[in-house]
Amino acid sequence: MPDSSAPAVRPADPRFSSGPTKKRPGWSLDALSGALLGRSHRSKPGKAKLKEAIDRTRALLGVPADFRIAIVPASDTGAVEMAMWSMLGARGVDLFAWESFGEEWITDAVDQLKLEDARVHTGRPYGTLADLTQARRDADVVFTQNGTTSGVRVPGFDWIAADREGITLNDATSAVFAQPIDWTKCDVVTFSWQKVLGGEGGHGMLILSPRAVARLESFTPNRPLPKIFRMTKKGKLDAELFEGATINTPSLLATEDYLDALRWGERIGGLAALHARADANAGVIADWVTRTAWVDFLAADPAVRSNTSVCLKVTDPRVTGLAPEAQGDFAKRLAALLEGEGVALDAASYRSAPPGLRLWCGATVERDDVEALMPWLDWAFERCLTAL
């Protein structure tokens, strides 16, 4: 029998996954009708589609005209590692991490690249920002603007020196299109199509400042570089790569989908509108947390809370008093119940993060759906309590 205590209103769309994320409102397969299926990406129309993706990205994000933009393999991970393996080693590097993906870049730098003078700065426990004041003016800096698995973001870019000698690498994959980016402070910015605009996985975006280009052309790393990492030819930037001539074969179907998402962002009012939608969605959860006793944000400091990957923890003493494994089981049951009811799919916290819930609030999510979900969280919590 139906549970009479269950909320009457359900989210119209229960997809709250943090990646790949929900498609834009009104999306259907018809959005892909213009895809150049069966055509070479090196054909004139194929190159035009890829160049359009680059140009629309520049326009929507307000990327400066002298920055270069490329479509690269292997999603955001490929873009970050392409930059790290090609550019790091010329000087010391400060690595900042406060969640699992940032820690992967530390592994790259310390264990794989074995960089000299690599200083690691981590935010512990989860939900805490690293000490950004440790960034050195004469060192390179690697950081993740928004921690997808911790719900922690940088509060701004003032901590990066305007007169820095090193370059900055910003993994912005769950921040771009939802949070401001200070292009004067970022020399390398990376992201994937599958996050804030709800595109398909597998493709990364790599944005380089003139300072980053100068590094590529003046520094030759003492390590082998796989083909998919090479951005120069005969000591000069491979300009074609930044005009849509990709290193390997991209999906023109996924490209069409990304173009559709960019056009949607333009139609609704551009970057300001995208930011406002994410802020409004996260604001719904913030209001609910304020009036709800059993839950809190994983990030205690409001200044560093994400407006996209919102991470929550259970604070009720009946749950926090359990053994760690039992707390984890409780969070899993909570997420499973929400999924079973069809009101929130993929809402469990990331596997390496503390147990809890993670709700995507990026621009493609509708505020009405977030509002409809909040009573279901209370309902599911009470149901799980009865099973203890």
Side-chain angles (χ1 to χ4, degrees):
M1 293 181 62
D3 186 344
S4 60
S5 67
V9 178
R10 294 172 177 269
D13 195 316
R15 287 173 287 187
F16 291 95
S17 167
S18 289
T21 62
K22 177 184 173 294
K23 293 293 189 187
R24 57 128 175 122
W27 184 92
S28 73
L29 287 173
D30 291 340
L32 307 180
S33 60
L36 291 175
L37 302 184
R39 292 298 307 272
S40 169
H41 63 293
R42 301 192 189 282
S43 68
K44 187 174 181 179
K47 284 184 178 180
K49 286 284 187 180
L50 295 167
K51 183 62 163 55
E52 182 184 355
I54 289 172
D55 291 345
R56 288 186 181 273
T57 297
R58 182 185 301 279
L60 189 55
L61 287 177
V63 179
D66 58 351
F67 280 50
R68 304 295 192 100
I69 304 175
I71 298 169
V72 301
S75 195
D76 178 64
T77 299
V80 174
E81 295 197 321
M82 196 171 178
M84 290 184 66
W85 286 71
S86 298
M87 299 184 195
L88 296 186
R91 57 177 63 237
V93 59
D94 289 317
L95 301 134
F96 294 90
W98 40 87
E99 49 93 50
S100 60
F101 290 103
E103 291 169 358
E104 292 292 347
W105 314 145
I106 290 174
T107 298
D108 263 22
V110 175
D111 297 338
Q112 302 301 320
L113 294 174
K114 302 184 185 302
L115 298 176
E116 296 180 3
D117 192 16
R119 302 186 188 181
V120 174
H121 312 278
T122 55
R124 286 291 181 272
Y126 249 74
T128 304
L129 190 69
D131 183 2
L132 300 177
T133 65
Q134 296 300 309
R136 291 172 290 168
R137 176 179 166 276
D138 61 347
D140 295 335
V141 173
V142 179
F143 69 99
T144 304
Q145 181 171 338
N146 184 88
T148 312
T149 66
S150 67
V152 175
R153 64 175 172 181
V154 297
F157 296 85
D158 290 346
W159 56 281
I160 299 173
D163 61 346
R164 63 193 178 279
E165 297 174 12
I167 60 172
T168 54
L169 280 68
N170 175 8
D171 171 5
T173 197
S174 60
V176 69
F177 299 111
Q179 300 168 15
I181 295 174
D182 186 343
W183 297 103
T184 69
K185 299 295 184 70
C186 298
D187 297 305
V188 178
V189 175
T190 68
F191 66 93
S192 66
W193 296 350
Q194 70 210 40
K195 289 294 185 182
V196 179
L197 291 186
E200 293 303 301
H203 298 76
M205 299 297 285
L206 179 67
I207 305 177
L208 304 182
S209 75
R211 300 176 77 254
V213 172
R215 170 66 63 84
L216 280 170
E217 294 182 340
S218 64
F219 171 68
T220 302
N222 61 349
R223 65 185 76 100
L225 287 181
K227 175 184 177 182
I228 61 171
F229 285 0
R230 298 173 202 156
M231 290 181 276
T232 60
K233 289 183 177 179
K234 297 180 179 179
K236 293 295 182 181
L237 187 74
D238 182 357
E240 290 187 349
L241 175 60
F242 297 86
E243 294 293 327
T246 55
I247 291 174
N248 68 338
T249 305
S251 165
L252 292 178
L253 187 66
T255 301
E256 193 67 29
D257 188 60
Y258 179 54
L259 284 169
D260 171 73
L262 290 168
R263 295 185 192 108
W264 170 75
E266 296 163 1
R267 288 196 304 272
I268 67 169
L271 195 60
L274 293 170
H275 287 188
R277 286 178 63 91
D279 287 343
N281 290 337
V284 169
I285 298 180
D287 290 343
W288 170 75
V289 168
T290 298
R291 62 178 186 268
T292 304
W294 64 266
V295 70
D296 203 351
F297 290 99
L298 191 57
D301 181 0
V304 304
R305 286 179 193 154
S306 172
N307 66 341
T308 56
S309 53
V310 178
C311 297
L312 303 170
K313 61 181 179 181
V314 177
T315 57
D316 190 287
R318 290 168 290 183
V319 177
T320 58
L322 300 172
E325 183 176 349
Q327 292 184 47
D329 290 341
F330 183 90
K332 291 177 183 177
R333 288 197 299 272
L334 187 61
L337 182 56
L338 294 168
E339 183 151 345
E341 289 292 327
V343 294
L345 307 179
D346 309 315
S349 58
Y350 190 71
R351 60 182 180 269
S352 61
L357 295 173
R358 181 176 60 156
L359 302 171
W360 184 257
C361 287
T364 59
V365 173
E366 298 280 32
R367 179 174 178 169
D368 288 349
D369 287 336
V370 184
E371 291 174 338
L373 177 61
M374 297 301 98
W376 283 97
L377 299 184
D378 290 319
W379 174 84
F381 174 73
E382 292 298 332
R383 287 287 301 271
C384 289
L385 271 185
T386 63
L388 289 179

